[in-house]
C-alpha cells in the first residue's frame, strides 16, 4: 500500500482548545472540529469564521511559517479569498511547533464536486493565477520539488512509472514526459507560486464559481508552469481550452508544455501515494486521463 506520510505528532481537539485558550483567550470558547488531515497539516474549524492549522510532521513546520510570512501580501492582490493568518501560534508543552489561526474560507472543494461542476470556475482561477504570478522578492524560498526545471524531477517520475501495475500506460506517459521536457526552460524571473494547486485546494460557490484557494504551504518562487498544471488536474478538455484562453498572451506555448509535464508529476504523486486517500487518488487518476486524452500540440 502506498500511503500518505504518517504524523509525527497527532493532535486532538483538546490540545487545539488548550493552545487557543492559552494564546488567544478571546477565542477560547469557540467550538473546535477537525476538518482536514493532509500530508503536511491538520486543520480544525474554530467557530464560524476561523481555522487552526498545525503541522503533522517536522518537515511541514517551515510550510506553516511560509504561510504566515507570504499570505498577507498574496491576499492583498488576489481577487478571491485565501486563508490569511490572524495569529502566529507559539510552541508549548502540548505542541512542539509553530501553528496558525487563519481566516476560514467557505466553499465546496472542487475535488468533491466533480469535473462537470467545475467549468464555471475556469475564468476565476485564471484571474487568480494572473494576480499571484508576480516576480518574487529575493527572500522567497525555492521549493526543491515545485517550480524547478522539469528535468530535476526526472528520476522520481521514472521510478513511479516503473510500477507497471499502477501505470499500464507507462510507455505513453514517458512519451508525454519526453515531449514536455523538450520545451524551453523558464527564462523569466522566479515568480510567486502556490505550489500545490489541485482540486482539493480549490473551493467553489454553490453555482460553481471560484470561492477561494487554500493550503499555501508550498508557496515559493519559481516556474509558474507548476501552477498551470491545474488545467489538467481540474478541467476536462473543453474547459481546459477556455482556461488557457483566459491567459491570452501572458502564457506562451512552452510554458503550457511544461505545465503538462507538471500535471504528470503531480498526478503520479497522488496515484503513487494515496491508496489510503480515495479523494486524492481520484484527482490523480483524472489528471492522468486528461494528460493522455489531450491531443493538443500546445502550440498557441
Amino acid at each position: 500500500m502506498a500511503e500518505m506520510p504518517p504524523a509525527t505528532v497527532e493532535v486532538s481537539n483538546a490540545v487545539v482548545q488548550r493552545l487557543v485558550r492559552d494564546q488567544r483567550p478571546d477565542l477560547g470558547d469557540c467550538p473546535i472540529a477537525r476538518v482536514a488531515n493532509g500530508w503536511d497539516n491538520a486543520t480544525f474549524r474554530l467557530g464560524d469564521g476561523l481555522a487552526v492549522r498545525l503541522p503533522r510532521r517536522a518537515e511541514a513546520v517551515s510550510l506553516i511559517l511560509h504561510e504566515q510570512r507570504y499570505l498577507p501580501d498574496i491576499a492583498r492582490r488576489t481577487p478571491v479569498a485565501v486563508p490569511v493568518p490572524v495569529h502566529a501560534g507559539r510552541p508549548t508543552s502540548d505542541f512542539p511547533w509553530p501553528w496558525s489561526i487563519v481566516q476560514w474560507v467557505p466553499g465546496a472543494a472542487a475535488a468533491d464536486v466533480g469535473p462537470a461542476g467545475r467549468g464555471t470556475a475556469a475564468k476565476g482561477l485564471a484571474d487568480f493565477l494572473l494576480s499571484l504570478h508576480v516576480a518574487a522578492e529575493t527572500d522567497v524560498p525555492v521549493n526543491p520539488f515545485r517550480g524547478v526545471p522539469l528535468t530535476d524531477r526526472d528520476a522520481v517520475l521514472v521510478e513511479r512509472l516503473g510500477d507497471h501495475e499502477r501505470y499500464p500506460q507507462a510507455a505513453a506517459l514517458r512519451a508525454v514526459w519526453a515531449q514536455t521536457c523538450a520545451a524551453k526552460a523558464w527564462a523569466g524571473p522566479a515568480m510567486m507560486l502556490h505550489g500545490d494547486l489541485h482540486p482539493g485546494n480549490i473551493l467553489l460557490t454553490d453555482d460553481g464559481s471560484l470561492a477561494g484557494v487554500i493550503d499555501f504551504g508550498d508557496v515559493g518562487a519559481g516556474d509558474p508552469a507548476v501552477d498551470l498544471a491545474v488545467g489538467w488536474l481540474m478541467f476536462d478538455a473543453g474547459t481546459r481550452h477556455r482556461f488557457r484562453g483566459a491567459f491570452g498572451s501572458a502564457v506562451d506555448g512552452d510554458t503550457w508544455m511544461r505545465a503538462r509535464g507538471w500535471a504528470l508529476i503531480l498526478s503520479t504523486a497522488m496515484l503513487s501515494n494515496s491508496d489510503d486517500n480515495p479523494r486524492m487518488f481520484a484527482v490523480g487518476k483524472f489528471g492522468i486521463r486528461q494528460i493522455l486524452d489531450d491531443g493538443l500540440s500546445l502550440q498557441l
Side-chain angles (χ1 to χ4, degrees), residues 4-219:
M4 73 178 189
T8 306
V9 176
E10 290 286 1
V11 185
S12 66
N13 287 32
V15 166
V16 174
Q17 191 147 56
R18 286 198 296 271
L19 290 171
V20 173
R21 284 178 174 171
D22 177 52
Q23 298 185 30
R24 285 296 302 264
D26 56 314
L27 303 172
D29 293 329
C30 293
I32 291 172
R34 185 190 296 267
V35 293
N37 204 41
W39 279 32
D40 296 315
N41 300 294
T43 303
F44 294 76
R45 185 85 179 261
L46 179 64
D48 291 330
L50 298 170
V52 179
R53 279 174 62 77
L54 310 96
R56 296 179 64 246
R57 52 198 188 106
E59 294 87 342
V61 171
S62 62
L63 309 187
I64 287 287
L65 296 175
H66 292 163
E67 290 182 343
Q68 292 173 355
R69 168 69 177 83
Y70 299 110
L71 262 174
D73 182 62
I74 290 171
R76 281 190 285 270
R77 67 174 188 271
T78 55
V80 297
V82 297
V84 181
V86 300
H87 174 78
R90 303 181 304 276
T92 71
S93 58
D94 280 322
F95 188 75
W97 300 317
W99 52 281
S100 297
I101 299 176
V102 302
Q103 292 177 356
W104 176 258
V105 181
D112 299 327
V113 171
R118 301 173 190 169
T120 306
K123 177 64 164 61
L125 190 56
D127 289 343
F128 163 76
L129 287 172
L130 286 166
S131 72
L132 175 66
H133 290 164
V134 300
E137 300 293 336
T138 55
D139 65 338
V140 178
V142 174
N143 186 320
F145 306 109
R146 305 290 167 88
V148 296
L150 277 180
T151 50
D152 287 7
R153 307 296 290 142
D154 182 71
V156 70
L157 184 72
V158 169
E159 180 181 358
R160 289 173 189 161
L161 295 182
D163 183 349
H164 295 289
E165 183 175 349
R166 195 176 294 267
Y167 299 102
Q169 332 91 321
L173 293 172
R174 288 191 190 97
V176 171
W177 181 244
Q179 182 187 26
T180 60
C181 286
K184 291 181 182 177
W186 176 248
M191 307 295 273
M192 288 297 298
L193 309 173
H194 180 282
D196 195 25
L197 196 61
H198 59 69
N201 290 333
I202 296 168
L203 303 180
L204 307 179
T205 64
D206 289 342
D207 68 359
S209 300
L210 184 65
V213 178
I214 60 174
D215 197 349
F216 284 75
D218 284 312
V219 66

